[in-house]
Amino acid sequence: MTDEKKLIAVIGGGECSAEEAELAEEVGREIARRGAILICGGLSGVMEAACKGARSEGGMTIGILPGDSRRQANSYVQIPIVTGMGYARNVIVVKSAQAVIAIGGSYGTLSEISHALQSNTPVIGLNTWSFSKNGKADKSIIRAKNAVGAVKKALSLAQK
Amino acid sequence: MTDEKKLIAVIGGGECSAEEAELAEEVGREIARRGAILICGGLSGVMEAACKGARSEGGMTIGILPGDSRRQANSYVQIPIVTGMGYARNVIVVKSAQAVIAIGGSYGTLSEISHALQSNTPVIGLNTWSFSKNGKADKSIIRAKNAVGAVKKALSLAQK
Amino acid sequence: MTDEKKLIAVIGGGECSAEEAELAEEVGREIARRGAILICGGLSGVMEAACKGARSEGGMTIGILPGDSRRQANSYVQIPIVTGMGYARNVIVVKSAQAVIAIGGSYGTLSEISHALQSNTPVIGLNTWSFSKNGKADKSIIRAKNAVGAVKKALSLAQK
Amino acid sequence: MTDEKKLIAVIGGGECSAEEAELAEEVGREIARRGAILICGGLSGVMEAACKGARSEGGMTIGILPGDSRRQANSYVQIPIVTGMGYARNVIVVKSAQAVIAIGGSYGTLSEISHALQSNTPVIGLNTWSFSKNGKADKSIIRAKNAVGAVKKALSLAQK
């Protein structure tokens, strides 16, 4: 590939709290400031807030849409990719990213975290899921304290 | 649809312990004894053990394969469905089932649990993942103590 | 895999003429009479007529559904596979089959014929598409004169 | 969405003649000159030549990859989208585009033309497939005589 801009995914709920939206917007801004490209599921909530942040800093935003129309994208998606594949598009969001930042989220976000870890893609967590098996905590999600810390970790761990 | 046989998914690792394999085989047998159809990812480990159990009782087994060839299926899959879609096939396994039984498992299994909960499909857990968000445990997985109990719960909760 | 029942796909329009429906129903009957399993897109038109024929002879029918609900299947589908992937499910129909019988059809059927030929799966045609490139006719579709002839060819060419 | 750059797909064989490669490169250049974004399957042949042309004029190139790694992309893809879904990714290429330009191609290209027509996306053809049903030619592909004409037609017909 010609350019070496990194693709960082931001995942989280299509509905989110004001606090999560603020966090996502700051994550989006920081991704853009550091010259990376934001990829997400292209809808509302955390996805929209992150895209808004990235665009405010002149960054590029890609939305991998579940439905059949590019008009499903939030207003801050620059490049809508139309899959028509419903939730199976979650796999594409995380496979395309070199690192994933998870903010809050519901079961869709949990599926994306799982698919990322299954593909050995680094996952940075901000107030998101924890999980354990047979009483033993899984430590694969790298925890961050704030937006800037999350983006720094994502970029330093981003896979080639 | 003509018949009213229920489809129950068994999900779990492609590699598993001897104990998990025994549990999966008993789950497979019980699904067949109760006249339901077993659907799974079609590969080895928990999937193969469950199919073996179901076939030993004359049950029907369906494998939703990630690869491009029907020969990828384990020896106990009767109907191989070839997707060529890699891990995105996980979504099809749980969407097609009316209830899901999770046995142990790794991140692939966690993704299937998440997709099932996202689709409001009941998930019965046997020694599998637990998860929490911001310190609050999620109780959506219905825990079972043994194979027979898991299948009973799955069938009583199976969606139309 | 345990059993050696062959999977034969029947593809064609979700809307079809009375003549095409009659042909599809006869193809379905013949597939069942010869002990093969019918796989299709699970919806109306040619798919429904073929399933009706197969069921009338006690055959097994599988429907690979584009939507999110098993209730989308026509009344003669015995095993609904729910993909939620829209037209991308066309790929699964033909990849899962060991031979494909195309009856009439529109662009969706043409996409299935193409995916089958791309995967080296034999395609038998009954009053369906023809195509050529730069004026040179492509002869990959094997033409049949009637339902019985189509099923005979499909079974003799069915891939392992 | 924020920007109004149009997405134009270029589809064609992963292997192609020198003449087709030259045509594809000129199509890519013209897409870039007119300020549109090029989307394709991201591999070699026609896809690579088109990306090369677009990049030579400073245009943006997106590759929707069938495999599991971004390294599968040709050297001129700027934004690799990793699907891991094999040929099912063909659906995404054409669904994401507002118009499609087909150059030569084999069965994969024919499947993409079919999926595009099924979605009512305009298809412009340069020395590519023709098809007919029951002896009646299908006129849905809009024929162009050269690269510049193809891109002009694609942009004027591009869907919102």
Side-chain angles (χ1 to χ4, degrees):
Chain A
M1 293 156 285
T2 47
D3 285 14
E4 285 305 309
K5 288 205 174 177
K6 292 212 167 111
L7 261 76
I8 305 295
V10 177
I11 62 175
E15 295 178 16
C16 71
S17 67
E19 200 176 46
E20 287 171 332
E22 207 176 321
L23 197 53
E25 198 175 331
E26 178 59 16
V27 164
R29 278 196 296 266
E30 192 65 20
I31 287 172
R33 277 182 207 124
R34 292 173 182 268
I37 296 172
L38 169 65
I39 185 166
C40 69
L43 302 182
S44 53
V46 159
M47 298 169 265
E48 183 166 7
C51 288
K52 187 180 177 188
R55 294 296 294 146
S56 74
E57 294 284 336
M60 184 182 296
T61 55
I62 301 172
I64 309 291
L65 301 170
D68 279 313
S69 166
R70 66 200 327 260
R71 286 186 290 270
Q72 188 182 28
N74 71 59
S75 324
Y76 306 99
V77 167
Q78 222 172 350
I79 302 179
I81 302 295
V82 181
T83 71
M85 290 190 185
Y87 293 139
R89 75 80 152 83
N90 294 6
V91 176
I92 303 176
V93 173
V94 298
K95 270 190 182 295
S96 299
Q98 290 161 280
V100 172
I101 298 173
I103 301 170
S106 188
Y107 298 125
T109 305
L110 184 57
S111 80
E112 291 172 312
I113 293 172
S114 317
H115 285 298
L117 295 176
Q118 193 178 19
S119 304
N120 290 314
T121 302
V123 177
I124 322 298
L126 282 165
N127 304 328
T128 191
W129 294 98
S130 303
F131 33 87
S132 59
K133 199 163 61 176
N134 296 328
K136 198 181 159 197
D138 182 291
K139 304 283 195 191
S140 303
I141 298 179
I142 297 144
R143 305 289 163 176
K145 289 187 180 156
N146 53 45
V148 172
V151 177
K152 267 191 191 171
K153 286 184 187 190
L155 284 170
S156 72
L157 294 167
Q159 298 183 308
K160 285 285 168 184
Chain B
M1 292 156 287
T2 48
D3 285 15
E4 285 305 310
K5 288 204 174 178
K6 293 206 167 117
L7 260 76
I8 305 296
V10 177
I11 61 175
E15 294 179 16
C16 70
S17 66
E19 201 176 44
E20 288 171 332
E22 207 176 322
L23 197 53
E25 197 175 332
E26 178 58 16
V27 164
R29 277 196 297 267
E30 192 65 21
I31 287 173
R33 278 183 207 125
R34 291 173 182 267
I37 296 173
L38 169 65
I39 186 166
C40 69
L43 302 183
S44 53
V46 158
M47 298 169 264
E48 183 166 6
C51 288
K52 187 179 176 188
R55 294 295 294 144
S56 74
E57 294 284 336
M60 185 181 295
T61 55
I62 301 172
I64 308 292
L65 301 169
D68 279 312
S69 166
R70 65 198 329 258
R71 287 186 289 270
Q72 189 182 28
N74 72 58
S75 325
Y76 305 99
V77 167
Q78 223 173 351
I79 302 178
I81 302 295
V82 182
T83 72
M85 290 188 185
Y87 293 139
R89 73 81 151 84
N90 293 6
V91 176
I92 303 177
V93 173
V94 298
K95 270 191 183 294
S96 299
Q98 291 161 281
V100 172
I101 299 172
I103 300 171
S106 187
Y107 298 124
T109 305
L110 185 58
S111 81
E112 291 173 312
I113 293 172
S114 316
H115 285 298
L117 296 175
Q118 195 178 19
S119 303
N120 289 314
T121 302
V123 178
I124 322 297
L126 282 165
N127 305 329
T128 191
W129 292 99
S130 303
F131 33 87
S132 58
K133 200 164 58 176
N134 296 328
K136 198 180 158 199
D138 182 291
K139 304 284 196 190
S140 302
I141 298 180
I142 296 144
R143 304 290 163 175
K145 290 188 179 152
N146 53 45
V148 172
V151 177
K152 267 191 191 170
K153 285 183 189 191
L155 284 170
S156 72
L157 294 167
Q159 297 183 308
K160 286 285 167 185
Chain C
M1 293 155 285
T2 47
D3 285 14
E4 285 304 311
K5 286 203 175 178
K6 294 208 167 114
L7 260 77
I8 305 295
V10 177
I11 62 175
E15 294 178 15
C16 70
S17 67
E19 201 176 45
E20 288 170 331
E22 206 176 322
L23 197 53
E25 198 175 331
E26 179 58 16
V27 164
R29 277 197 297 267
E30 192 64 20
I31 287 172
R33 277 181 207 127
R34 291 173 182 268
I37 296 172
L38 169 65
I39 186 165
C40 70
L43 301 183
S44 54
V46 159
M47 299 169 265
E48 182 166 7
C51 288
K52 187 179 177 189
R55 294 296 293 145
S56 75
E57 294 284 335
M60 183 181 296
T61 55
I62 301 173
I64 308 291
L65 301 169
D68 279 313
S69 166
R70 65 199 327 258
R71 286 186 290 271
Q72 189 181 27
N74 72 58
S75 325
Y76 306 99
V77 168
Q78 224 173 350
I79 302 179
I81 301 296
V82 182
T83 71
M85 289 187 186
Y87 293 139
R89 74 80 152 83
N90 293 6
V91 177
I92 303 177
V93 173
V94 299
K95 270 191 182 294
S96 299
Q98 292 160 279
V100 172
I101 298 172
I103 300 170
S106 186
Y107 298 125
T109 304
L110 184 58
S111 80
E112 292 173 312
I113 292 172
S114 317
H115 285 298
L117 295 176
Q118 194 179 19
S119 303
N120 289 314
T121 302
V123 177
I124 322 297
L126 282 165
N127 305 327
T128 190
W129 293 99
S130 303
F131 32 87
S132 59
K133 200 164 59 175
N134 296 328
K136 198 181 158 197
D138 182 290
K139 305 283 195 191
S140 302
I141 298 180
I142 297 144
R143 305 290 163 175
K145 290 187 179 154
N146 54 44
V148 172
V151 177
K152 267 191 193 172
K153 285 183 189 192
L155 284 170
S156 72
L157 294 167
Q159 297 184 308
K160 286 285 167 185
Chain D
M1 293 156 286
T2 47
D3 285 15
E4 286 304 310
K5 288 205 174 175
K6 294 212 166 111
L7 260 76
I8 305 296
V10 176
I11 62 175
E15 294 178 16
C16 70
S17 67
E19 200 177 45
E20 288 171 332
E22 207 176 322
L23 198 53
E25 198 174 333
E26 179 58 16
V27 164
R29 277 196 297 266
E30 192 64 22
I31 287 173
R33 277 182 208 125
R34 291 173 182 268
I37 296 173
L38 169 66
I39 185 166
C40 69
L43 303 183
S44 53
V46 159
M47 299 169 264
E48 183 166 7
C51 288
K52 186 179 177 189
R55 294 296 293 145
S56 75
E57 293 285 335
M60 184 181 298
T61 55
I62 301 172
I64 309 291
L65 301 170
D68 279 312
S69 166
R70 67 198 327 259
R71 286 186 291 270
Q72 188 182 29
N74 71 58
S75 324
Y76 306 98
V77 167
Q78 224 173 350
I79 302 179
I81 302 295
V82 182
T83 71
M85 289 188 185
Y87 293 139
R89 75 80 153 81
N90 294 5
V91 176
I92 303 177
V93 173
V94 297
K95 271 190 181 296
S96 298
Q98 292 161 280
V100 172
I101 299 173
I103 300 170
S106 187
Y107 298 124
T109 304
L110 184 57
S111 80
E112 291 173 312
I113 292 172
S114 316
H115 285 298
L117 295 176
Q118 194 178 20
S119 303
N120 290 313
T121 302
V123 177
I124 322 298
L126 282 165
N127 304 330
T128 190
W129 293 98
S130 304
F131 32 87
S132 58
K133 201 165 58 176
N134 296 328
K136 198 180 158 196
D138 182 290
K139 304 283 196 190
S140 302
I141 298 180
I142 297 144
R143 305 289 162 176
K145 290 187 180 156
N146 53 44
V148 172
V151 176
K152 266 192 192 170
K153 286 184 188 190
L155 283 170
S156 72
L157 295 167
Q159 297 184 308
K160 286 283 168 185

